[in-house]
Amino acid sequence: QEDLRVDGRGCEDYRCVEVETDVVSNTSGSARVKLGHTDILVGVKAEMGTPKLEKPNEGYLEFFVDCSANATPEFEGRGGDDLGTEIANTLYRIFNNKSSVDLKALCVSPREHCWVLYVDVLLLECGGNLFDTISIAVKAALFNTRIPRVRVLEDEEGSKDIELSDDPYDCIRLSVENVPCIVTLCKIGYRHVVDATLQEEACSLASLLVSVTSKGVVTCMRKVGKGSLDPESIFEMMETGKRVGKVLHASLQSILHKEESLGPKRQKVGFLG
């Protein structure tokens, strides 16, 4: 109630987030994000595919979430499968609007060829606030993604041939300006907190997942947990989500640009260094 948590943070404070991009060599883009005891690795692979029938002039994203058995004892056996599906479905919902990623830029030739981005999320360690950490990692990995430039060559008979550029610098970059991040708000007593630890999550009966863009626009919402939420507190939580989300995006963007400006000079940290 007095805006003070066990670790000394206020209700709207995030812990320190470690973000590192370009960590896996055989991917088009990758990122590793560590938040508290939650550790996430995301790899993006761009592959040629055929556009979906209902969207002939767009590429698309496919999500796959792997809950490593080492992440938490609950994932032994098939324990992590349901959670993996739930996370993948949430990511599909977030990216299922036109503005998040420019899917038309992924189209090479309508109805025939497009880029498919396979986004693989690996949970290395689970220590609370999973959805926020995954959304930050996905955004960082998409920012890091480089897709080879393609030329479509047509011969006299009208059949098309595709030529990929060999130059590693001749590539397309995705704009991640509108890619949302998830802010999870856990209701504890009369207050709600962001970036909850495992202990705080255990005290919370209901949480609200709010996906927010860098401009503070809410694109998707989901309630988690068995408890109920009062409409007024939902409105309050959304406002907090927008406020916190904008700050989160701003600091993430600045760190991504800063890291990129260092180029090959930057030091690799973590076990992937």
Side-chain angles (χ1 to χ4, degrees):
Q1 305 295 27
E2 291 171 11
D3 198 22
L4 181 67
R5 291 153 75 173
V6 178
D7 51 12
R9 289 182 290 155
C11 290
E12 294 183 15
D13 296 340
Y14 264 82
R15 286 165 292 182
C16 181
V17 187
E18 290 175 30
V19 179
E20 192 180 7
T21 55
D22 199 17
V23 283
V24 186
S25 55
N26 59 348
T27 57
S28 311
S30 59
R32 180 182 177 218
V33 172
K34 206 166 184 306
L35 175 60
H37 288 295
T38 300
D39 202 346
I40 307 291
L41 184 63
V42 174
V44 180
K45 267 237 162 97
E47 288 182 14
M48 240 343 134
T50 313
K52 292 181 175 174
L53 283 171
E54 64 274 18
K55 291 174 180 170
N57 58 348
E58 291 181 6
Y60 55 95
L61 284 82
E62 290 284 354
F63 293 99
F64 177 73
V65 182
D66 183 19
C67 303
S68 148
N70 308 337
T72 167
E74 293 158 37
F75 292 169
E76 290 293 335
R78 299 182 61 82
D81 290 5
D82 295 347
L83 178 66
T85 312
E86 186 192 340
I87 293 167
N89 289 343
T90 305
L91 288 170
Y92 278 119
R93 277 185 61 188
I94 288 179
F95 283 91
N96 193 18
N97 58 11
K98 284 192 166 60
S99 58
S100 61
V101 174
D102 181 11
L103 296 173
K104 289 194 166 76
L106 297 175
C107 182
V108 177
S109 54
R111 291 191 181 82
E112 289 173 13
H113 305 287
C114 72
W115 286 109
V116 183
L117 298 183
Y118 292 97
V119 182
D120 289 325
V121 179
L122 175 62
L123 276 57
L124 299 170
E125 196 181 345
C126 289
N129 203 15
L130 206 50
F131 285 92
D132 298 26
T133 318
I134 289 170
S135 69
I136 293 170
V138 168
K139 181 165 180 166
L142 288 172
F143 174 83
N144 182 241
T145 299
R146 286 159 173 73
I147 302 165
R149 208 172 279 282
V150 178
R151 295 224 312 277
V152 180
L153 309 168
E154 204 170 329
D155 58 15
E156 285 123 35
E157 290 147 24
S159 67
K160 289 177 180 170
D161 203 20
I162 279 182
E163 190 183 81
L164 289 181
S165 169
D166 299 336
D167 181 359
Y169 293 101
D170 186 21
C171 56
I172 308 166
R173 297 286 301 276
L174 287 171
S175 163
V176 294
E177 182 67 31
N178 294 322
V179 171
C181 279
I182 296 175
V183 177
T184 305
L185 301 121
C186 293
K187 186 84 173 160
I188 300 175
Y190 295 107
R191 296 292 295 257
H192 45 262
V193 300
V194 301
D195 184 21
T197 60
L198 277 178
Q199 290 89 337
E200 287 172 333
E201 282 180 6
C203 302
S204 170
L205 287 173
S207 307
L208 197 65
L209 266 59
V210 185
S211 85
V212 188
T213 66
S214 53
K215 294 184 175 71
V217 179
V218 173
T219 60
C220 162
M221 249 170 64
R222 206 178 129 227
K223 184 193 151 288
V224 187
K226 297 180 177 67
S228 58
L229 290 171
D230 181 65
E232 203 169 291
S233 59
I234 292 177
F235 184 70
E236 263 178 51
M237 286 159 102
M238 278 174 65
E239 289 304 310
T240 306
K242 287 183 199 172
R243 211 170 37 244
V244 174
K246 277 165 115 169
V247 178
L248 185 65
H249 276 289
S251 42
L252 179 61
Q253 285 287 41
S254 74
I255 209 110
L256 289 173
H257 288 300
K258 188 174 154 192
E259 194 178 53
E260 193 176 54
S261 66
L262 292 173
K265 290 201 296 287
R266 82 180 170 91
Q267 269 188 315
K268 296 277 173 96
V269 290
F271 68 95
L272 296 157

